[in-house]
Amino acid sequence: MEKKTFVTKEQIAEIVKTYPTPFHIYDEKGIRENAKAVKEAFSWNPGFREYFAVKATPNPYIIDLMREFGCGFDCSSLTELMLAHAMGAGENEIMFSSNDTPAKEYAFADRIGAIINLDDITHIDFLEKTLGRLPETISCRYNPGGLFKMSNGIMDNPGDAKYGFTTEQLLEGMRILKQKGVKHFGIHAFLASNTVTNEYYPMLAKILFEQAVRIHQETGAHIAFINLSGGVGIPYRPDQEPNDIHVIGEGVRKVYEEVLVPAGMGDVAIYTEMGRFMTGPYGALVTTAIHEKHTHKEYIGVDACAVNLMRPAMYGAYHHITVLGKENAPCDHKYDVTGSLCENNDKFALDRMLPEIEMGDYLVIHDTGAHGYAMGYNYNGKLKSAELLLKENGDVKLIRRAETPEDYFRTFDGLDFYGKLDFNV
């Protein structure tokens, strides 16, 4: 699969007159089309809802796009809850999937009508003490342990993950919750990350559907929804075949009719919590080549760094790179593409074959629409970049300004040195 950019060199040359690199830019048209496809793929289930994972791209403008297609929001922290609530998400339109959760976050989630997705059986008592009662609807996060395998091998290791109830705890937990007056239940699981295969959701669905039937039969609990969570990935590499969400939706439908319908559970709603799949391919980090170095290797230094995109440094993750204006030029130069952090792992690419790069060239780093800006930080005193939205009509909108030194220093409350800082940079 050829990796194409949704912006041209001419567009970027115009944009940088107002917004200098580096910046993240998102494709409104692509996000809309994808959100529509997800909704269509699961339209066979009347109760379906995608709870967009706010952690992927926590920006009000992106959240607003998701709301156009009836999405709810998956939140994992107080600030994410506040953001989704402020954007108009109402009763049952927020899923609060957290772990090691402070009491005040549970209390706020309950106050705004979020569905609480418990991570551990001990949280039942913790939540009851926090609220003085239990909500009528509660979800439980399930972790079957062991290795998660599909036809193409081991996909992930749930047994090594810190999340979720064991199989025995899930049954016992729902029995306890029912005894304490909970009326409606959900089951949630996340067993593999960034799967690029149409098999994942149907296989996960079968596991969860079978657990739901067992729990319903043994406890009488009303399973209102089953949450397949995230895990549907994107093709970061050009040689990967992208997931087909319509094939995935149809696969889940078949398992639903094989397992749940015969058990008299054909009213169960299906929920998803995708982030990466929803926005990942529709964002890019745009950066400028500002240095070249010829030592033991050939290096290209850019004005972005791991602060702007942590995944390559943190995971060794691959992100494809396009040199704008040189899309058809031969990739006959081998480079490490590096940022300016005082860390040797601050590299966007290792031994990457690219066209010859000249100073001033614009590099587009693909697939940063999820877990790109969101994972940024301020190490070395670096500042986060702007976020831009490429509108369907070709206009560009600033949806988050770049941080400034003033922002960085403002949190040092009570110190008298702020007025001594020289901001004439």
Side-chain angles (χ1 to χ4, degrees):
M1 183 185 74
E2 184 182 356
K3 284 276 190 183
K4 294 184 178 180
T5 62
F6 56 83
V7 287
T8 65
K9 180 179 179 180
E10 291 71 26
Q11 284 176 299
I12 294 301
E14 193 61 32
I15 291 169
V16 298
K17 293 176 181 177
T18 306
Y19 308 112
T21 58
F23 53 75
H24 286 270
I25 186 166
Y26 307 109
D27 177 18
E28 181 183 63
K29 182 174 184 289
I31 292 172
R32 275 208 174 99
E33 289 176 350
N34 195 48
K36 181 173 180 286
V38 169
K39 187 174 182 179
E40 290 173 348
F42 290 90
S43 60
W44 55 266
N45 182 261
F48 172 75
R49 175 171 280 155
E50 155 64 17
Y51 285 83
F52 173 65
V54 174
K55 59 180 164 285
T57 322
N59 189 294
Y61 290 88
I62 301 300
I63 287 176
D64 208 36
L65 285 178
M66 295 299 167
R67 282 187 59 76
E68 290 182 23
F69 296 90
C71 293
F73 302 98
D74 169 50
C75 299
S76 57
S77 69
L78 178 62
T79 49
E80 290 183 358
L81 287 169
M82 293 169 65
L83 175 57
H85 180 57
M87 292 302 295
E91 186 86 14
N92 295 332
E93 291 183 338
I94 298 173
M95 187 74 60
F96 186 42
S97 300
S98 58
N99 64 96
D100 292 331
T101 310
K104 69 177 182 180
E105 298 194 10
Y106 274 142
F108 184 77
D110 180 69
R111 177 159 66 84
I112 65 175
I115 299 171
I116 291 174
N117 185 29
L118 291 178
D119 181 61
D120 187 71
I121 195 168
T122 63
H123 291 194
I124 296 173
D125 286 342
F126 184 84
L127 180 63
E128 188 174 32
K129 289 174 183 176
T130 297
L131 303 180
R133 56 173 174 76
L134 288 172
E136 286 194 354
T137 299
I138 283 186
S139 178
C140 294
R141 185 166 184 168
Y142 175 50
N143 183 339
L147 298 174
F148 183 72
K149 300 179 181 179
M150 292 195 292
S151 61
N152 53 348
I154 295 172
M155 299 303 294
D156 221 321
N157 183 8
D160 197 39
K162 67 176 182 175
Y163 309 107
F165 292 59
T166 66
T167 303
E168 296 75 18
Q169 288 173 341
L170 185 66
L171 180 64
E172 180 63 17
M174 291 203 171
R175 183 178 283 120
I176 292 169
L177 288 165
K178 188 171 185 292
Q179 290 170 353
K180 288 179 177 288
V182 176
K183 296 180 179 178
H184 310 291
F185 295 86
I187 304 175
H188 169 289
F190 178 90
L191 301 188
S193 179
N194 194 42
T195 61
V196 189
T197 166
N198 296 328
E199 293 180 65
Y200 172 61
Y201 258 7
M203 287 191 68
L204 173 62
K206 188 173 191 295
I207 292 170
L208 295 185
F209 294 170
E210 289 174 349
Q211 282 297 323
V213 171
R214 170 174 170 256
I215 289 167
H216 174 66
Q217 291 175 346
E218 294 192 24
T219 70
H222 172 235
I223 308 299
F225 63 85
I226 291 174
N227 190 336
L228 303 177
S229 187
V232 177
I234 62 174
Y236 286 100
R237 295 178 179 273
D239 58 353
Q240 291 179 300
E241 191 70 24
N243 285 318
D244 186 327
I245 197 63
H246 292 283
V247 171
I248 291 170
E250 178 62 15
V252 174
R253 184 192 65 78
K254 288 180 179 178
V255 180
Y256 189 99
E257 293 183 353
E258 290 169 4
V259 178
L260 291 180
V261 172
M265 298 173 67
D267 62 339
V268 175
I270 299 300
Y271 295 162
T272 57
E273 289 175 358
M274 293 182 285
R276 193 192 316 260
F277 183 81
M278 299 299 286
T279 58
Y282 312 109
L285 174 61
V286 181
T287 183
T288 303
I290 58 173
H291 288 288
E292 55 186 328
K293 186 174 183 177
H294 316 285
T295 55
H296 305 290
K297 300 181 78 172
E298 294 294 302
Y299 295 97
I300 294 295
V302 296
D303 60 2
C305 65
V307 162
N308 308 109
L309 179 62
M310 189 194 292
R311 296 187 72 255
M314 188 175 185
Y315 304 122
Y318 179 95
H319 280 263
H320 199 64
I321 296 176
T322 295
V323 184
L324 288 181
K326 299 182 178 180
E327 290 84 349
N328 298 317
C331 295
D332 53 5
H333 285 62
K334 184 187 290 186
Y335 296 115
D336 280 12
V337 180
T338 70
S340 58
L341 284 188
C342 293
E343 293 289 341
N344 195 47
N345 66 351
D346 183 20
K347 297 177 180 179
F348 294 112
L350 296 172
D351 298 322
R352 187 73 60 87
M353 297 305 296
L354 293 166
E356 182 178 9
I357 297 175
E358 300 167 278
M359 297 306 92
D361 278 349
Y362 300 122
L363 278 64
V364 168
I365 302 177
H366 291 250
D367 301 316
T368 72
H371 312 295
Y373 181 97
M375 294 179 73
Y377 57 118
N378 289 117
Y379 183 56
N380 280 182
K382 295 290 186 177
L383 304 173
K384 295 183 185 178
S385 65
E387 290 182 292
L388 309 178
L389 184 66
L390 178 64
K391 305 284 287 181
E392 291 197 50
N393 64 3
D395 291 345
V396 171
K397 182 177 183 62
L398 178 69
I399 60 174
R400 193 195 304 260
R401 67 166 174 80
E403 288 183 335
T404 66
E406 289 91 337
D407 296 324
Y408 180 81
F409 289 111
R410 277 291 183 191
T411 52
F412 292 108
D413 289 342
L415 298 180
D416 62 0
F417 86 109
Y418 186 84
K420 301 175 184 179
L421 292 167
D422 182 0
F423 293 113
N424 295 314
V425 179

